[in-house]
Amino acid sequence: MKLSRRTLLKLKNKNQKLKPNKYKKLKREALRGTIKGTVERPRLSVYRSNEHIYAQIIDDTTSKTLLACSTLDRSIKLNLTTGRTCAASRQMGEKLAELSLKKNITKIIFDRGPYLYHGRIKALADGARAGGLEF
């Protein structure tokens, strides 16, 4: 079910019974309809929790996760005090870029999910770009 941003906002404003998780799912599905990862350009999917941030590179044609990284990884966690900062997200983006370049993945499509391109999501994208990924 693909819905435009305007329709989603109308649903949120008119229908107070629309639960936040349902709204989040509708928003994610609307964005996911336009973003597809291929073999040449896999999709970088981001999930943000209150404590940590997770990212994975996915090939949607075969529905396989090519690689994944998070602020819970040992190499990243040792250098950080907490996983909820922009610095942690940027460092994780650089680590993700390093791992993807080892697997010969240089071009990706960035999927921010239902999150705004701001704060930790933007820091992760900037770190991935600094590490050598193109998107």
Side-chain angles (χ1 to χ4, degrees):
M1 179 160 110
K2 295 181 188 175
L3 298 173
S4 68
R5 188 176 193 111
R6 181 181 295 161
T7 306
L8 289 173
L9 290 174
K10 282 181 185 176
L11 274 174
K12 186 177 182 185
N13 292 336
K14 281 185 179 179
N15 188 0
Q16 297 300 325
K17 294 179 183 177
L18 189 64
K19 295 183 177 154
N21 287 340
K22 180 72 173 171
Y23 177 71
K24 193 184 227 183
K25 185 178 179 187
L26 288 171
K27 195 172 169 185
R28 182 174 55 237
E29 286 174 356
L31 180 71
R32 190 69 46 76
T34 60
I35 296 176
K36 296 275 190 252
T38 62
V39 177
E40 297 84 27
R41 287 182 71 116
R43 175 170 57 99
L44 171 59
S45 178
V46 178
Y47 173 72
R48 183 192 74 200
S49 70
N50 287 339
E51 294 292 324
H52 298 284
I53 190 161
Y54 309 85
Q56 54 185 342
I57 296 181
I58 304 166
D59 177 16
D60 286 325
T61 56
T62 59
S63 300
K64 299 272 182 173
T65 299
L66 304 175
L67 63 101
C69 189
S70 75
T71 52
L72 289 171
D73 290 348
R74 188 169 185 80
S75 59
I76 297 171
K77 196 172 185 179
L78 290 175
N79 300 331
L80 303 171
T81 56
T82 180
R84 62 167 70 176
T85 61
C86 286
S89 297
R90 183 172 178 83
Q91 186 177 357
M92 199 199 76
E94 291 170 357
K95 180 70 175 175
L96 186 75
E98 177 188 325
L99 293 172
S100 64
L101 290 176
K102 285 182 183 176
K103 290 196 170 192
N104 295 326
I105 300 169
T106 56
K107 293 184 178 182
I108 58 164
I109 296 172
F110 188 73
D111 178 14
R112 60 181 172 79
Y115 311 108
L116 294 176
Y117 186 77
H118 177 74
R120 292 192 287 158
I121 304 294
K122 184 178 179 194
L124 185 138
D126 291 341
R129 279 193 192 100
L133 288 179
E134 295 176 22
F135 55 96

